[in-house]
Amino acid sequence: PGVRALLIRESLGDWSAQLPLQIAIRRLGAPTAEPPSQAALVERAVTLLSQYTDVLVNFQTRFNPFPTNSLSKPLARPGGWGFVATGNFKLASDEALLVSLDSLDSRYFAIMLTTPWLTSLPHVHATGSFNLSQSQRSADGSFTYVISARDPKVHNWLDTGGLQDGTLTVRWQAPSPAAATRADSAVKSIKVVKLADLKTVLPNGTATVEPQARERLVELRAASYARRCGVTCEVDDTVLRK
């Protein structure tokens, strides 16, 4: 009684191996209320649009009030299922943001970029996000990502899609109990560097990628995403086939 919505979030850490759940809904009885009129639906849509617009326009000041090119400390999520950290970036065309993270031995670990209005940056035909299976570790076991508009020839390149500013989110889900005790230090470092100086500041063991290899990685990324959708699915008006 009183339930109005069902939200299911699936965290697939390996697109090439894991498949979404098969979900079915069966109605147990007839509706107990009359369907809303067209006028009522329009009125509700206008109200929701106003509310959502207010949230998105004021997101940076209300929910992400952190300094430019920074990332918050991991925040424990209700229920004990993990942590999340949010931040933002603002970069010149010759700059990159270097983000080094501890995965906390999490079963699911991911970093993603969005526009200032929280729309995900391209993550199928480009690298607007990385999860654990897609990322390469540094020699010390941590993960370092390079956020920039230009390809820095680093495997863990988070592509801004040409945007100069946006937001970033990191999720640690199902971390190991022992590792969770060091969550406060999971964001090891975050700093702006010149792309020309990138090689001098990257950690030991950083995996590099040449343009031809990048194209192949993106092709594999798109193919693994299509696999999650079944035989075919459409992404950005492009039909992906299994």
Side-chain angles (χ1 to χ4, degrees):
V3 172
R4 298 182 59 184
L6 172 67
L7 171 64
I8 299 174
R9 169 179 282 177
E10 296 186 283
S11 300
L12 303 184
D14 187 349
W15 298 356
S16 65
Q18 296 173 317
L19 292 174
L21 294 171
Q22 296 297 312
I23 300 168
I25 296 178
R26 180 167 58 95
R27 180 164 32 181
L28 300 179
T32 57
E34 292 294 321
S37 65
Q38 181 69 15
L41 289 174
V42 169
E43 182 179 358
R44 177 159 173 74
V46 170
T47 300
L48 289 175
L49 182 60
S50 176
Q51 292 173 348
Y52 293 157
T53 300
D54 178 66
V55 169
L56 294 177
V57 168
N58 295 293
F59 177 80
Q60 296 293 357
T61 55
R62 229 182 254 173
F63 304 103
N64 190 14
F66 307 108
T68 302
N69 296 319
S70 71
L71 192 59
S72 69
K73 283 188 176 183
L75 172 69
R77 303 300 300 272
W81 59 274
F83 302 88
V84 63
T86 60
N88 55 72
F89 65 90
K90 186 172 185 178
L91 302 165
S93 60
D94 64 342
E95 292 179 331
L97 187 62
L98 220 61
V99 184
S100 293
L101 304 166
D102 183 338
S103 70
L104 301 180
D105 299 328
S106 300
R107 292 176 60 192
Y108 178 86
F109 166 71
I111 181 171
M112 62 177 289
L113 301 183
T114 63
T115 70
W117 303 277
L118 305 185
T119 303
S120 298
L121 290 184
H123 54 275
V124 178
H125 299 287
T127 52
S129 69
F130 274 92
N131 62 32
L132 193 59
S133 69
Q134 297 163 338
S135 303
Q136 293 288 334
R137 294 177 186 267
S138 301
D140 66 355
S142 64
F143 294 88
T144 293
Y145 300 91
V146 180
I147 301 173
S148 64
R150 289 160 44 195
D151 189 344
K153 296 185 179 181
V154 172
H155 183 280
N156 295 348
W157 170 42
L158 283 160
D159 184 358
T160 69
L163 291 184
Q164 291 183 309
D165 63 317
T167 65
L168 60 150
T169 302
V170 184
R171 289 189 177 94
W172 298 261
Q173 293 176 198
S176 73
T181 61
R182 63 175 190 266
D184 281 351
S185 59
V187 180
K188 296 170 65 68
S189 66
I190 179 169
K191 59 183 176 181
V192 177
V193 299
K194 293 290 186 182
L195 282 169
D197 300 329
L198 194 57
K199 289 183 179 179
T200 66
V201 295
L202 286 171
N204 293 332
T206 298
T208 59
V209 175
E210 293 300 322
Q212 188 173 1
R214 177 78 71 195
E215 290 180 8
R216 178 57 179 159
L217 285 172
V218 172
E219 288 176 0
L220 292 172
R221 184 184 183 96
S224 64
Y225 190 92
R227 180 181 175 278
R228 304 191 325 170
C229 305
V231 177
T232 63
C233 64
E234 292 187 14
V235 180
D236 301 330
D237 299 324
T238 301
V239 175
L240 304 175
R241 299 192 180 278
K242 186 175 181 181

